[in-house]
Amino acid sequence: MPETHRGRRQPHEAAEVEPLTALAPRPLRHVLFRQFWRDLVFLHWEADPFEVARLLPPGTVPDLYRGRTYVGLVFFRMHDLAFGHTPPLPYLGAFNEVNVRLYSRDALGRRGVVFRSLDCDRLLPVAAARMGFGLPYRWSHVSREWYGRRLLYRTRGRTGARPAGHVRLDVGDEVVTPLPLDEFLTRRWGLHERLVKRTYYMPNAHPVWTFRRCDLLGWDASLIAAAGLTPPRTEPASVLYAPGVPVRFGPPVRLRPGSRQVHHPRVTRPHSGGA
């Protein structure tokens, strides 16, 4: 890769894609906010990369695994939301969330997540995230219930005919080793979003994931179609349960205007009958 005389890449030059690492590849010099994610459930299906590309912010392209990209439906419980190094917020810092997410990369090679929707059962965090970061949060009913070792998440809109969603899992005690596809989907160290007509990247960091054996008992992925994607027609390609991790986010960094030029990867359409 050619460099400038100062040893820096020109904005239009694409960097190599960062490796899939178990820990964040870049240290966070400043912590914007902290949170703890608990009882995470990840469901993933193959998605049409050409459909996904139209939904990503400028300056990013679909991130691919073996020529394919994916859409995720993720359920979890948020705890201990805090700003900087201040104590966690009481009441407002704990809520349930369900999101639909896609996978992106930018011209600097950074892999990220792009959220198509985020359903949350706490109104003030919804308003703050929408106004401050442009994230597509919605105030919804989201519940989490444990029945012995079975976990149930449910979500539905508060008004109109908003789509609903749910997942039911049987969770075991055994720790499982993630497959390469699972690592591609969960080793994400930032998000891409668009705010005030500019795309930004917000980095994050957390300890290594621990996944436990789980069996999928039922699911409703209506939120995926509502997020503008073809609804899944098959069983998920990946199902994961994680007890949780503490997460730190750094300040957002705007993509440079020249970084809008990203080399488009070679893509493979999903198998017939897939998402």
Side-chain angles (χ1 to χ4, degrees):
M1 181 71 66
E3 303 286 333
T4 69
H5 68 282
R6 294 185 179 180
R8 297 180 180 178
R9 290 188 180 89
Q10 295 288 356
H12 66 275
E13 295 171 348
E16 293 184 3
V17 181
E18 66 185 10
L20 294 168
T21 54
L23 294 172
R26 296 168 300 277
L28 293 183
R29 293 185 174 85
H30 304 283
V31 176
L32 184 62
F33 55 88
R34 315 184 321 273
Q35 49 196 237
F36 203 111
W37 299 339
R38 298 185 186 276
D39 291 333
L40 297 102
V41 178
F42 300 87
L43 306 181
H44 282 93
W45 293 264
E46 284 188 39
D48 185 332
F50 298 94
E51 182 178 74
V52 168
R54 293 192 294 270
L55 301 175
L56 300 182
T60 67
V61 295
D63 197 12
L64 304 179
Y65 176 76
R66 296 182 178 176
R68 299 186 177 95
T69 194
Y70 292 81
V71 56
L73 182 61
V74 182
F75 303 76
F76 67 100
R77 173 74 176 172
M78 176 92 73
H79 274 282
D80 297 338
L81 176 62
F83 294 97
H85 299 284
T86 63
L89 296 173
Y91 179 71
L92 295 174
F95 48 86
N96 299 311
E97 183 176 314
V98 183
N99 63 64
V100 175
R101 68 189 211 176
L102 304 172
Y103 297 95
S104 56
R105 64 176 175 85
D106 58 33
L108 297 181
R110 297 173 297 199
R111 301 177 187 269
V113 170
V114 172
F115 292 106
R116 288 294 299 164
S117 67
L118 302 104
D119 287 86
C120 168
D121 58 8
R122 194 77 76 217
L123 179 57
L124 189 56
V126 167
R130 290 184 68 91
M131 292 186 295
F133 300 101
L135 293 168
Y137 268 91
R138 301 182 297 209
W139 187 33
S140 304
H141 294 285
V142 186
S143 65
R144 179 199 61 158
E145 300 288 344
W146 279 98
Y147 301 93
R149 55 190 248 174
R150 293 190 172 182
L151 174 60
L152 170 63
Y153 277 100
R154 289 180 292 194
T155 182
R156 60 182 176 84
R158 291 180 178 269
T159 59
R162 285 187 176 179
H166 74 258
V167 64
R168 290 187 295 121
L169 283 183
D170 186 281
V171 180
D173 295 326
E174 306 95 322
V175 175
V176 297
T177 301
L179 299 174
L181 173 60
D182 302 329
E183 294 176 342
F184 171 81
L185 298 169
T186 59
R187 292 183 174 183
R188 298 279 142 177
W189 304 110
L191 66 89
H192 291 108
E193 186 52 82
R194 185 169 172 82
L195 180 65
V196 195
K197 299 183 180 180
R198 291 287 300 275
T199 300
Y200 69 83
Y201 175 83
M202 178 181 287
N204 68 59
H206 59 70
V208 177
W209 287 111
T210 296
F211 297 107
R212 286 164 51 184
R213 183 198 61 78
C214 64
D215 296 310
L216 182 62
L217 303 177
W219 52 273
D220 178 351
S222 302
L223 293 171
I224 291 178
L229 293 124
T230 301
R233 300 187 182 93
T234 63
E235 292 293 311
S238 172
V239 179
L240 295 168
Y241 168 82
V245 290
V247 186
R248 296 171 296 130
F249 283 86
V253 179
R254 291 186 181 273
L255 270 63
R256 298 176 183 175
S259 66
R260 298 170 69 91
Q261 303 179 29
V262 186
H263 292 308
H264 287 256
R266 186 173 182 177
V267 299
T268 302
R269 288 188 180 275
H271 298 296
S272 60

